[in-house]
PDB file of all heavy atoms in Angstrom:
ATOM      1  N   ARG A   1     136.384 261.407  87.119  1.00  0.00           N
ATOM      2  CA  ARG A   1     135.362 260.938  88.069  1.00  0.00           C
ATOM      3  C   ARG A   1     135.777 259.666  88.781  1.00  0.00           C
ATOM      4  O   ARG A   1     135.318 259.321  89.933  1.00  0.00           O
ATOM      5  CB  ARG A   1     133.967 260.802  87.308  1.00  0.00           C
ATOM      6  CG  ARG A   1     133.303 262.098  86.866  1.00  0.00           C
ATOM      7  CD  ARG A   1     132.203 261.834  86.106  1.00  0.00           C
ATOM      8  NE  ARG A   1     131.442 263.238  85.851  1.00  0.00           N
ATOM      9  CZ  ARG A   1     131.056 263.697  84.701  1.00  0.00           C
ATOM     10  NH1 ARG A   1     131.376 263.058  83.613  1.00  0.00           N
ATOM     11  NH2 ARG A   1     130.397 264.792  84.768  1.00  0.00           N
ATOM     12  N   ARG A   2     136.615 258.996  88.249  1.00  0.00           N
ATOM     13  CA  ARG A   2     137.205 257.729  88.880  1.00  0.00           C
ATOM     14  C   ARG A   2     138.287 257.988  89.852  1.00  0.00           C
ATOM     15  O   ARG A   2     138.284 257.545  90.978  1.00  0.00           O
ATOM     16  CB  ARG A   2     137.730 256.759  87.844  1.00  0.00           C
ATOM     17  CG  ARG A   2     136.641 256.039  86.961  1.00  0.00           C
ATOM     18  CD  ARG A   2     137.315 254.792  86.232  1.00  0.00           C
ATOM     19  NE  ARG A   2     138.617 255.230  85.465  1.00  0.00           N
ATOM     20  CZ  ARG A   2     138.567 255.610  84.153  1.00  0.00           C
ATOM     21  NH1 ARG A   2     137.251 255.737  83.531  1.00  0.00           N
ATOM     22  NH2 ARG A   2     139.636 256.057  83.485  1.00  0.00           N
ATOM     23  N   GLN A   3     139.182 258.926  89.281  1.00  0.00           N
ATOM     24  CA  GLN A   3     140.500 259.130  90.088  1.00  0.00           C
ATOM     25  C   GLN A   3     140.284 260.003  91.286  1.00  0.00           C
ATOM     26  O   GLN A   3     140.925 259.714  92.367  1.00  0.00           O
ATOM     27  CB  GLN A   3     141.551 259.574  89.265  1.00  0.00           C
ATOM     28  CG  GLN A   3     141.415 260.924  88.579  1.00  0.00           C
ATOM     29  CD  GLN A   3     142.329 261.324  87.471  1.00  0.00           C
ATOM     30  OE1 GLN A   3     142.005 262.182  86.744  1.00  0.00           O
ATOM     31  NE2 GLN A   3     143.390 260.480  87.233  1.00  0.00           N
ATOM     32  N   ILE A   4     139.543 261.070  91.259  1.00  0.00           N
ATOM     33  CA  ILE A   4     139.549 262.014  92.265  1.00  0.00           C
ATOM     34  C   ILE A   4     139.006 261.546  93.643  1.00  0.00           C
ATOM     35  O   ILE A   4     139.604 261.615  94.636  1.00  0.00           O
ATOM     36  CB  ILE A   4     138.999 263.286  91.890  1.00  0.00           C
ATOM     37  CG1 ILE A   4     139.729 263.878  90.712  1.00  0.00           C
ATOM     38  CG2 ILE A   4     139.034 264.395  93.080  1.00  0.00           C
ATOM     39  CD1 ILE A   4     139.138 265.307  90.213  1.00  0.00           C
ATOM     40  N   PRO A   5     137.756 260.810  93.607  1.00  0.00           N
ATOM     41  CA  PRO A   5     137.311 260.328  94.829  1.00  0.00           C
ATOM     42  C   PRO A   5     138.207 259.373  95.454  1.00  0.00           C
ATOM     43  O   PRO A   5     138.473 259.322  96.703  1.00  0.00           O
ATOM     44  CB  PRO A   5     136.008 259.716  94.299  1.00  0.00           C
ATOM     45  CG  PRO A   5     135.433 260.381  93.294  1.00  0.00           C
ATOM     46  CD  PRO A   5     136.740 260.676  92.460  1.00  0.00           C
ATOM     47  N   GLU A   6     138.892 258.499  94.652  1.00  0.00           N
ATOM     48  CA  GLU A   6     139.966 257.578  95.217  1.00  0.00           C
ATOM     49  C   GLU A   6     140.965 258.349  96.028  1.00  0.00           C
ATOM     50  O   GLU A   6     141.606 257.782  96.893  1.00  0.00           O
ATOM     51  CB  GLU A   6     140.227 256.703  94.109  1.00  0.00           C
ATOM     52  CG  GLU A   6     139.355 255.756  93.404  1.00  0.00           C
ATOM     53  CD  GLU A   6     139.919 254.978  92.347  1.00  0.00           C
ATOM     54  OE1 GLU A   6     141.101 255.190  91.979  1.00  0.00           O
ATOM     55  OE2 GLU A   6     139.189 254.177  91.830  1.00  0.00           O
ATOM     56  N   LEU A   7     141.485 259.362  95.259  1.00  0.00           N
ATOM     57  CA  LEU A   7     142.616 260.180  95.800  1.00  0.00           C
ATOM     58  C   LEU A   7     142.093 260.827  97.141  1.00  0.00           C
ATOM     59  O   LEU A   7     142.995 260.939  97.991  1.00  0.00           O
ATOM     60  CB  LEU A   7     143.129 261.189  94.854  1.00  0.00           C
ATOM     61  CG  LEU A   7     143.802 260.609  93.500  1.00  0.00           C
ATOM     62  CD1 LEU A   7     144.115 261.785  92.525  1.00  0.00           C
ATOM     63  CD2 LEU A   7     145.042 259.996  94.025  1.00  0.00           C
ATOM     64  N   ILE A   8     140.946 261.374  97.119  1.00  0.00           N
ATOM     65  CA  ILE A   8     140.499 262.000  98.418  1.00  0.00           C
ATOM     66  C   ILE A   8     140.512 260.977  99.618  1.00  0.00           C
ATOM     67  O   ILE A   8     141.055 261.186 100.660  1.00  0.00           O
ATOM     68  CB  ILE A   8     138.986 262.505  98.246  1.00  0.00           C
ATOM     69  CG1 ILE A   8     138.967 263.601  97.305  1.00  0.00           C
ATOM     70  CG2 ILE A   8     138.508 262.819  99.566  1.00  0.00           C
ATOM     71  CD1 ILE A   8     137.566 264.023  96.867  1.00  0.00           C
ATOM     72  N   ALA A   9     140.056 259.689  99.285  1.00  0.00           N
ATOM     73  CA  ALA A   9     140.200 258.777 100.345  1.00  0.00           C
ATOM     74  C   ALA A   9     141.661 258.304 100.745  1.00  0.00           C
ATOM     75  O   ALA A   9     141.907 258.118 101.991  1.00  0.00           O
ATOM     76  CB  ALA A   9     139.332 257.464  99.806  1.00  0.00           C
ATOM     77  N   LEU A  10     142.368 258.256  99.748  1.00  0.00           N
ATOM     78  CA  LEU A  10     143.747 257.903 100.084  1.00  0.00           C
ATOM     79  C   LEU A  10     144.509 259.006 100.896  1.00  0.00           C
ATOM     80  O   LEU A  10     145.287 258.738 101.791  1.00  0.00           O
ATOM     81  CB  LEU A  10     144.599 257.718  98.728  1.00  0.00           C
ATOM     82  CG  LEU A  10     144.543 256.422  97.955  1.00  0.00           C
ATOM     83  CD1 LEU A  10     145.079 256.496  96.674  1.00  0.00           C
ATOM     84  CD2 LEU A  10     144.864 255.259  98.795  1.00  0.00           C
ATOM     85  N   SER A  11     144.170 260.198 100.453  1.00  0.00           N
ATOM     86  CA  SER A  11     144.708 261.459 101.185  1.00  0.00           C
ATOM     87  C   SER A  11     144.365 261.444 102.619  1.00  0.00           C
ATOM     88  O   SER A  11     145.148 261.802 103.594  1.00  0.00           O
ATOM     89  CB  SER A  11     144.452 262.790 100.320  1.00  0.00           C
ATOM     90  OG  SER A  11     145.097 263.743 101.075  1.00  0.00           O
ATOM     91  N   ARG A  12     143.073 261.253 102.896  1.00  0.00           N
ATOM     92  CA  ARG A  12     142.603 261.325 104.306  1.00  0.00           C
ATOM     93  C   ARG A  12     143.314 260.231 105.118  1.00  0.00           C
ATOM     94  O   ARG A  12     143.638 260.479 106.181  1.00  0.00           O
ATOM     95  CB  ARG A  12     140.993 261.090 104.339  1.00  0.00           C
ATOM     96  CG  ARG A  12     140.272 262.247 103.607  1.00  0.00           C
ATOM     97  CD  ARG A  12     138.967 262.553 104.249  1.00  0.00           C
ATOM     98  NE  ARG A  12     138.170 263.610 103.391  1.00  0.00           N
ATOM     99  CZ  ARG A  12     138.421 264.840 103.536  1.00  0.00           C
ATOM    100  NH1 ARG A  12     139.221 265.189 104.410  1.00  0.00           N
ATOM    101  NH2 ARG A  12     137.657 265.722 102.896  1.00  0.00           N
ATOM    102  N   LYS A  13     143.494 258.993 104.449  1.00  0.00           N
ATOM    103  CA  LYS A  13     144.198 258.055 105.260  1.00  0.00           C
ATOM    104  C   LYS A  13     145.568 258.311 105.575  1.00  0.00           C
ATOM    105  O   LYS A  13     146.114 258.131 106.643  1.00  0.00           O
ATOM    106  CB  LYS A  13     144.095 256.736 104.364  1.00  0.00           C
ATOM    107  CG  LYS A  13     144.742 255.469 105.110  1.00  0.00           C
ATOM    108  CD  LYS A  13     144.581 254.209 104.282  1.00  0.00           C
ATOM    109  CE  LYS A  13     145.294 252.992 104.957  1.00  0.00           C
ATOM    110  NZ  LYS A  13     144.944 251.770 104.220  1.00  0.00           N
ATOM    111  N   VAL A  14     146.253 258.890 104.506  1.00  0.00           N
ATOM    112  CA  VAL A  14     147.748 259.414 104.720  1.00  0.00           C
ATOM    113  C   VAL A  14     147.742 260.424 105.777  1.00  0.00           C
ATOM    114  O   VAL A  14     148.706 260.297 106.656  1.00  0.00           O
ATOM    115  CB  VAL A  14     148.378 259.687 103.411  1.00  0.00           C
ATOM    116  CG1 VAL A  14     149.738 260.328 103.639  1.00  0.00           C
ATOM    117  CG2 VAL A  14     148.555 258.507 102.414  1.00  0.00           C
ATOM    118  N   GLU A  15     146.979 261.363 105.693  1.00  0.00           N
ATOM    119  CA  GLU A  15     147.003 262.473 106.716  1.00  0.00           C
ATOM    120  C   GLU A  15     146.734 261.955 108.105  1.00  0.00           C
ATOM    121  O   GLU A  15     147.326 262.547 108.976  1.00  0.00           O
ATOM    122  CB  GLU A  15     146.008 263.636 106.194  1.00  0.00           C
ATOM    123  CG  GLU A  15     146.410 264.350 104.907  1.00  0.00           C
ATOM    124  CD  GLU A  15     145.404 265.464 104.532  1.00  0.00           C
ATOM    125  OE1 GLU A  15     145.294 266.359 105.299  1.00  0.00           O
ATOM    126  OE2 GLU A  15     144.824 265.276 103.447  1.00  0.00           O
ATOM    127  N   ALA A  16     145.855 260.950 108.230  1.00  0.00           N
ATOM    128  CA  ALA A  16     145.410 260.468 109.522  1.00  0.00           C
ATOM    129  C   ALA A  16     146.601 259.632 110.133  1.00  0.00           C
ATOM    130  O   ALA A  16     146.975 259.804 111.183  1.00  0.00           O
ATOM    131  CB  ALA A  16     144.142 259.812 109.463  1.00  0.00           C
ATOM    132  N   VAL A  17     147.050 258.697 109.313  1.00  0.00           N
ATOM    133  CA  VAL A  17     147.950 257.758 109.783  1.00  0.00           C
ATOM    134  C   VAL A  17     149.409 258.392 110.102  1.00  0.00           C
ATOM    135  O   VAL A  17     150.095 258.070 110.984  1.00  0.00           O
ATOM    136  CB  VAL A  17     148.228 256.563 108.880  1.00  0.00           C
ATOM    137  CG1 VAL A  17     149.280 255.669 109.204  1.00  0.00           C
ATOM    138  CG2 VAL A  17     146.946 255.842 108.771  1.00  0.00           C
ATOM    139  N   HIS A  18     149.801 259.313 109.137  1.00  0.00           N
ATOM    140  CA  HIS A  18     151.139 260.072 109.308  1.00  0.00           C
ATOM    141  C   HIS A  18     150.969 261.470 109.729  1.00  0.00           C
ATOM    142  O   HIS A  18     151.717 262.291 109.414  1.00  0.00           O
ATOM    143  CB  HIS A  18     151.834 260.032 107.907  1.00  0.00           C
ATOM    144  CG  HIS A  18     151.922 258.562 107.409  1.00  0.00           C
ATOM    145  ND1 HIS A  18     152.983 257.708 107.888  1.00  0.00           N
ATOM    146  CD2 HIS A  18     151.228 257.922 106.496  1.00  0.00           C
ATOM    147  CE1 HIS A  18     152.859 256.486 107.184  1.00  0.00           C
ATOM    148  NE2 HIS A  18     151.793 256.602 106.374  1.00  0.00           N
ATOM    149  N   ALA A  19     150.064 261.682 110.625  1.00  0.00           N
ATOM    150  CA  ALA A  19     149.782 263.049 111.121  1.00  0.00           C
ATOM    151  C   ALA A  19     151.068 263.737 111.814  1.00  0.00           C
ATOM    152  O   ALA A  19     151.214 264.964 111.463  1.00  0.00           O
ATOM    153  CB  ALA A  19     148.615 263.109 112.118  1.00  0.00           C
ATOM    154  N   GLY A  20     151.972 262.979 112.310  1.00  0.00           N
ATOM    155  CA  GLY A  20     153.086 263.555 112.890  1.00  0.00           C
ATOM    156  C   GLY A  20     154.350 263.699 112.001  1.00  0.00           C
ATOM    157  O   GLY A  20     155.360 264.103 112.529  1.00  0.00           O
ATOM    158  N   HIS A  21     154.154 263.228 110.822  1.00  0.00           N
ATOM    159  CA  HIS A  21     155.316 263.107 109.961  1.00  0.00           C
ATOM    160  C   HIS A  21     155.604 264.665 109.469  1.00  0.00           C
ATOM    161  O   HIS A  21     154.476 265.351 108.956  1.00  0.00           O
ATOM    162  CB  HIS A  21     155.146 262.362 108.804  1.00  0.00           C
ATOM    163  CG  HIS A  21     156.147 261.987 107.940  1.00  0.00           C
ATOM    164  ND1 HIS A  21     156.879 262.804 107.158  1.00  0.00           N
ATOM    165  CD2 HIS A  21     156.884 260.804 107.809  1.00  0.00           C
ATOM    166  CE1 HIS A  21     157.972 262.260 106.559  1.00  0.00           C
ATOM    167  NE2 HIS A  21     157.914 261.043 106.958  1.00  0.00           N
ATOM    168  N   PRO A  22     156.783 265.083 109.438  1.00  0.00           N
ATOM    169  CA  PRO A  22     157.019 266.458 109.006  1.00  0.00           C
ATOM    170  C   PRO A  22     156.679 266.688 107.452  1.00  0.00           C
ATOM    171  O   PRO A  22     156.476 267.965 107.035  1.00  0.00           O
ATOM    172  CB  PRO A  22     158.572 266.617 109.154  1.00  0.00           C
ATOM    173  CG  PRO A  22     159.056 265.281 109.109  1.00  0.00           C
ATOM    174  CD  PRO A  22     157.991 264.454 109.776  1.00  0.00           C
ATOM    175  N   GLU A  23     156.604 265.728 106.735  1.00  0.00           N
ATOM    176  CA  GLU A  23     156.272 265.833 105.250  1.00  0.00           C
ATOM    177  C   GLU A  23     154.842 265.462 104.882  1.00  0.00           C
ATOM    178  O   GLU A  23     154.562 265.345 103.743  1.00  0.00           O
ATOM    179  CB  GLU A  23     157.313 265.261 104.369  1.00  0.00           C
ATOM    180  CG  GLU A  23     158.635 265.710 104.482  1.00  0.00           C
ATOM    181  CD  GLU A  23     159.723 264.948 103.710  1.00  0.00           C
ATOM    182  OE1 GLU A  23     159.420 264.893 102.382  1.00  0.00           O
ATOM    183  OE2 GLU A  23     160.647 264.357 104.108  1.00  0.00           O
ATOM    184  N   VAL A  24     154.005 265.290 105.910  1.00  0.00           N
ATOM    185  CA  VAL A  24     152.675 264.802 105.574  1.00  0.00           C
ATOM    186  C   VAL A  24     152.012 265.946 104.818  1.00  0.00           C
ATOM    187  O   VAL A  24     152.169 267.073 105.098  1.00  0.00           O
ATOM    188  CB  VAL A  24     151.879 264.447 106.950  1.00  0.00           C
ATOM    189  CG1 VAL A  24     151.648 265.691 107.779  1.00  0.00           C
ATOM    190  CG2 VAL A  24     150.583 263.824 106.550  1.00  0.00           C
ATOM    191  N   PRO A  25     151.157 265.668 103.756  1.00  0.00           N
ATOM    192  CA  PRO A  25     150.564 266.740 103.016  1.00  0.00           C
ATOM    193  C   PRO A  25     149.322 267.256 103.604  1.00  0.00           C
ATOM    194  O   PRO A  25     148.262 266.992 103.130  1.00  0.00           O
ATOM    195  CB  PRO A  25     150.326 266.101 101.631  1.00  0.00           C
ATOM    196  CG  PRO A  25     150.022 264.702 101.942  1.00  0.00           C
ATOM    197  CD  PRO A  25     150.959 264.266 103.045  1.00  0.00           C
ATOM    198  N   GLY A  26     149.464 267.957 104.647  1.00  0.00           N
ATOM    199  CA  GLY A  26     148.238 268.501 105.359  1.00  0.00           C
ATOM    200  C   GLY A  26     147.381 269.246 104.517  1.00  0.00           C
ATOM    201  O   GLY A  26     147.898 270.229 103.943  1.00  0.00           O
ATOM    202  N   GLY A  27     146.231 269.076 104.484  1.00  0.00           N
ATOM    203  CA  GLY A  27     145.165 269.825 103.771  1.00  0.00           C
ATOM    204  C   GLY A  27     144.977 269.293 102.251  1.00  0.00           C
ATOM    205  O   GLY A  27     144.241 269.851 101.584  1.00  0.00           O
ATOM    206  N   LEU A  28     145.657 268.308 102.016  1.00  0.00           N
ATOM    207  CA  LEU A  28     145.510 267.715 100.677  1.00  0.00           C
ATOM    208  C   LEU A  28     144.255 267.176 100.327  1.00  0.00           C
ATOM    209  O   LEU A  28     143.628 267.461  99.203  1.00  0.00           O
ATOM    210  CB  LEU A  28     146.587 266.623 100.353  1.00  0.00           C
ATOM    211  CG  LEU A  28     146.606 266.066  98.975  1.00  0.00           C
ATOM    212  CD1 LEU A  28     146.758 267.020  97.877  1.00  0.00           C
ATOM    213  CD2 LEU A  28     147.709 264.908  98.842  1.00  0.00           C
ATOM    214  N   ALA A  29     143.614 266.455 101.284  1.00  0.00           N
ATOM    215  CA  ALA A  29     142.285 265.903 100.974  1.00  0.00           C
ATOM    216  C   ALA A  29     141.164 267.022 100.801  1.00  0.00           C
ATOM    217  O   ALA A  29     140.448 266.958 100.035  1.00  0.00           O
ATOM    218  CB  ALA A  29     141.951 264.950 102.256  1.00  0.00           C
TER     219      ALA A  29
END
């Protein structure tokens, strides 16, 4: 309950900021 909401927020940030990166984990959030 602590870790997953934090990971969702981190993943959305990484997917948005690094959208053009070939190794971005698209769909992870």
Side-chain angles (χ1 to χ4, degrees):
R1 287 177 172 130
R2 288 193 307 270
Q3 65 195 167
I4 300 179
E6 294 175 0
L7 291 175
I8 292 170
L10 286 173
S11 185
R12 293 206 185 284
K13 183 175 181 180
V14 168
E15 290 182 63
V17 172
H18 302 282
H21 195 291
E23 295 181 57
V24 69
L28 178 58

